[in-house]
Amino acid sequence: MLLNDKVAVITGAASARGLGFATARLFAEQGARVAILDLDADAAAAAAAQLGDQHLGLAADVTNEHQVQQAIAEVINRYGRIDVLVNNAGITQPLKLMEIAQNNYDAVLDVSLRGTLLASQAVIPTMRAQGSGSIVCISSVSAQRGGGIFGGPHYSAAKAGVLGLAKAMARELGPDNIRVNAITPGLIQTDITAGKLTDEMRRNILAGIPLNRLGDALDVARAALFLGSDLSSYSTGITLDVNGGMLIH
């Protein structure tokens, strides 16, 4: 198994149809002990319980430094190490440029960008002490193409910031044998998109996707498994597109 004896932390992973839970389930199947971090303690615990008794669900608001540090300390106390962090937590808002108010900007930027920074800062000391680790940051094709589907411009900006942060962390943490990479999913079928696609929208979107289908959460989870495991042992600072060809550079 690709993650045998590894410990993985995944933020924003309690939603049954989300990218985070799909990643948590795949990681568990590959031998990892998984800690799910989410806003709701009961939801996080229930999600972890679905994976098995050896997994952990904890409440943490990724925008709150104290909560993140506390949750990571609990993971280390239980398992003794952290090998993989998946920065998955994020929110989106379908707003036009002139509709974005300060509270909208703060909410979206805080979860995606500040959350990625705080969770990464929390795990880096133990990864440095181990002399190894992998951090996977979930960005979005919206960061590359300038939105145009669901998220507003502030969502594109937040996810572009995640790409820049991931590359900067990769450069700084390489000497510590900590790899940092990003995934840019295209349009994935999750709770965020459920019920929002009309038949016409779906046809128009599919016309621009060479693989002629929307993505599934498992598509992204498999990419996270690649980056989190030793399969990608010589990859750091990369951006891995998972979009069916929606954006071909």
Side-chain angles (χ1 to χ4, degrees), residues 85-225:
L85 167 67
V86 180
N87 284 308
N88 171 74
I91 60 173
T92 186
Q93 297 171 341
L95 300 176
K96 300 294 186 183
L97 181 64
M98 298 304 292
E99 298 171 343
I100 301 169
Q102 181 174 326
N103 64 314
N104 303 127
Y105 177 90
D106 289 346
V108 171
L109 269 289
D110 271 2
V111 176
S112 284
L113 192 49
R114 188 190 301 272
T116 294
L117 175 64
L118 293 179
S120 299
Q121 287 177 326
V123 303
I124 285 167
T126 191
M127 287 184 173
R128 277 180 164 155
Q130 296 162 189
S132 66
S134 174
I135 298 174
V136 181
C137 302
I138 306 298
S139 178
S140 170
V141 70
S142 292
Q144 300 163 312
R145 70 192 297 270
I149 303 176
F150 289 119
H154 54 329
Y155 176 75
S156 295
K159 291 302 189 179
V162 169
L163 290 181
L165 177 59
K167 290 179 180 180
M169 289 196 298
R171 190 178 299 279
E172 182 173 339
L173 298 175
D176 299 303
N177 198 34
I178 300 171
R179 299 182 297 106
V180 187
N181 296 290
I183 299 173
T184 45
L187 186 54
I188 310 297
Q189 298 176 99
T190 65
D191 288 334
I192 291 177
T193 60
K196 297 181 176 67
L197 276 179
T198 65
D199 289 342
E200 182 179 2
M201 288 174 66
R202 178 182 288 267
R203 284 193 299 271
N204 290 337
I205 291 169
L206 289 177
I209 301 177
L211 290 185
N212 197 40
R213 70 172 177 88
L214 301 183
D216 292 317
L218 184 58
D219 293 317
V220 180
R222 286 169 174 156
L225 176 61

Side-chain angles (χ1 to χ4, degrees), residues 37 60-61 64-76 117-123 125:
L37 272 56
D61 178 348
N64 184 303
E65 183 176 5
H66 175 71
Q67 290 185 26
V68 172
Q69 291 284 348
Q70 190 173 44
I72 294 302
E74 191 167 342
V75 175
I76 295 169
L117 175 64
L118 293 179
S120 299
Q121 287 177 326
V123 303

Side-chain angles (χ1 to χ4, degrees), residues 2 11 13 25 29-30 34 45 51 67 75 77 82-83 85 88 91 103 117 132 167 185 194-195 207 230:
L2 292 173
T11 67
R25 183 168 51 199
E29 290 170 357
Q30 288 294 323
V34 178
L51 304 179
Q67 290 185 26
V75 175
N77 182 61
I82 295 173
D83 300 284
L85 167 67
N88 171 74
I91 60 173
N103 64 314
L117 175 64
S132 66
K167 290 179 180 180
D230 289 340

